[in-house]
Amino acid sequence: MPNLSCRTLFDIPDDVAYFNTAYNAPLLRASRDALVCAAGAKLRPWERAPADFFADAETLRGVSAALFGTAAENFAIVPAASYGISTAARILEPRLQAGDHILVAAQEFPSNVFPWQRIAAERGAAIRTAGRPGDGDWTRAVLAALDPSVRIAALSACHWTDGATFDLVAIGAACRANGTVLVLDVTQSLGAAPLDLTAVRPDFMVAAGYKWLLCPYGFSLLYVDPRWHGERPLEESWLARSNAQDFTRLADYCAEYRAGARRYDVGETCVTTVLPGAIAALRQIEQWGIAGIEARLGAITDRIADAVAPLGYEILAPGFRSRHMLGLSVAVDPQDLIGRLRTRNIHVSQRGDAIRIAPHLHVTEADIDRLIEALAGG
């Protein structure tokens, strides 16, 4: 398990207790250094070779494959979760017919709703919403909403508002049995909770990098199952064509795409002010190990939950909540409580009806003590 000396890897003052990774993770010092160095390369463009337009993206594909247990060919480099979901929606739109349904969870993040609303309206399909379960069992709610009319299930590994979990292995198996395409937005879990892609077998999966992957803003990962590698991309980037690395032949307009999911890369893929910082972040996560990250964050959220549950805060049962994120339901005005915490330099969020507590490895024992004391009204 990572140790508490991880604070020094971040640039966080001692008086700041930051429990808001699910909003925006603090950047690692190593990522900052990599970005500063890479940004300076634009001062000397004559030193940038054609291979440099591809190298960082290929490095990220390789590191992601090692971290998440699939082939590098299955990853595309995209700028945002919305870009990845929109890519999946463009591919799937022609397969929708009038009367089909797209399943989402209640209060799902907008990036995993808006693209589906558009294609549903254009194809005569309908959005079906799995309601928030009173007992916290989202898996049961999702499985109950699946039937043969559901052509697409657009879901998450945990609910972004409070960390409530979805059993993706069970949901994936049900989708395959039903002929339903599974599209996942794992922005609020990838990098902080293990994910077995070979067991879940999603068709598409996207994660914005600036939260639990600790990456700079503007980097996201899109996983595409090999059966979808031959579809139409969201844009027609010259970098995605098979002859792109030969700059002398770019006017020989090539119809063939580069192998795997590379056709789904965003244009201007290798942004020097983004990707080098992402590489440093993913390599640090690889060094820590995702299981170790989850164990440490679980110890933090368990300690907070045990301390505040007797004070009247409502918390999901352990079997229905994530280890890395904790949602608290409160009787008082959540914004009033958040404001009082902020005056003490303790940072959390309200999402939906929950106070969302989202630590990372920068959190110290002193931070935890301060948060618990503040939640207790001390």
Side-chain angles (χ1 to χ4, degrees):
M1 184 187 303
N3 60 46
L4 295 180
S5 66
C6 294
R7 179 76 164 213
T8 61
L9 301 180
F10 299 85
D11 189 14
I12 302 175
D14 289 341
D15 65 336
V16 172
Y18 191 75
F19 292 86
N20 214 2
T21 302
Y23 159 67
N24 197 355
L27 196 68
L28 289 156
R29 293 178 187 268
S31 290
R32 177 201 59 193
D33 294 345
L35 291 173
V36 170
C37 180
K42 190 67 167 67
L43 296 169
R44 302 176 298 278
W46 55 89
E47 296 179 0
R48 187 166 172 80
D52 295 327
F53 284 78
F54 304 89
D56 284 347
E58 294 310 310
T59 297
L60 280 163
R61 275 186 255 272
V63 176
S64 299
L67 270 174
F68 308 121
T70 188
E73 302 285 298
N74 296 334
F75 285 107
I77 308 302
V78 298
S82 58
Y83 188 102
I85 297 296
S86 295
T87 297
R90 163 167 278 190
I91 292 168
L92 297 173
E93 181 177 358
R95 294 166 169 81
L96 278 180
Q97 300 178 4
D100 288 344
H101 287 91
I102 302 170
L103 178 64
V104 300
Q107 295 184 306
E108 180 57 271
F109 193 79
S111 291
N112 204 13
V113 176
F114 290 147
W116 307 119
Q117 288 179 336
R118 172 176 286 276
I119 69 169
E122 293 180 353
R123 300 295 295 181
I127 301 294
R128 176 179 294 174
T129 302
R132 180 177 288 275
D135 61 359
D137 190 350
W138 273 106
T139 303
R140 178 182 54 77
V142 167
L143 294 178
L146 278 171
D147 65 35
S149 74
V150 177
R151 309 315 306 146
I152 301 167
L155 301 167
S156 304
C158 69
H159 206 285
W160 70 289
T161 61
D162 59 4
T165 56
F166 296 71
D167 184 343
L168 293 184
V169 175
I171 291 169
C175 285
R176 289 191 298 277
N178 201 45
T180 301
V181 175
L182 179 59
V183 182
L184 297 177
D185 179 353
V186 292
T187 294
Q188 289 295 5
S189 58
L190 197 67
L195 175 66
D196 188 345
L197 280 171
T198 61
V200 177
R201 295 169 58 186
D203 293 272
F204 302 90
M205 181 188 78
V206 68
Y210 68 97
K211 299 179 188 284
W212 300 97
L213 293 174
L214 307 181
C215 293
Y217 198 77
F219 167 78
S220 298
L221 273 176
L222 171 63
Y223 166 87
V224 182
D225 183 86
R227 78 181 178 114
W228 301 105
H229 283 182
E231 302 296 328
R232 180 183 176 184
L234 195 60
E235 60 176 293
E236 298 294 345
S237 168
W238 66 270
L239 287 163
R241 303 300 172 130
S242 63
N243 70 340
Q245 290 182 284
D246 185 352
F247 283 18
T248 69
R249 295 181 52 231
L250 295 183
D252 298 337
Y253 305 123
C254 180
E256 181 183 359
Y257 292 96
R258 296 174 68 211
R262 292 175 180 84
R263 69 175 61 199
Y264 304 117
D265 285 350
V266 68
E268 298 190 8
T269 312
C270 284
V271 184
T272 57
T273 52
V274 175
L275 296 201
I279 291 170
L282 294 191
R283 283 180 169 158
Q284 180 60 73
I285 289 173
E286 186 177 34
Q287 181 178 330
W288 284 326
I290 293 174
I293 294 171
E294 183 188 48
R296 173 58 189 155
L297 299 184
I300 294 171
T301 57
D302 282 351
R303 180 179 162 195
I304 296 167
D306 290 345
V308 305
L311 304 176
Y313 293 95
E314 294 184 20
I315 303 170
L316 288 168
F320 294 143
R321 72 173 189 252
S322 302
R323 303 280 288 139
H324 63 287
M325 188 159 54
L326 182 67
L328 306 179
S329 295
V330 296
V332 300
D333 177 6
Q335 281 302 303
D336 179 65
L337 175 57
I338 288 171
R340 286 191 281 114
L341 292 174
R342 190 177 297 115
T343 64
R344 301 174 70 160
N345 236 345
I346 303 169
H347 301 272
V348 298
S349 287
Q350 178 188 357
R351 295 296 184 267
D353 299 323
I355 299 293
R356 190 179 66 185
I357 297 170
H360 212 284
L361 299 185
H362 60 272
V363 167
T364 65
E365 294 297 318
D367 292 338
I368 301 168
D369 289 340
R370 287 174 58 197
L371 175 62
I372 292 172
E373 180 184 10
L375 290 173

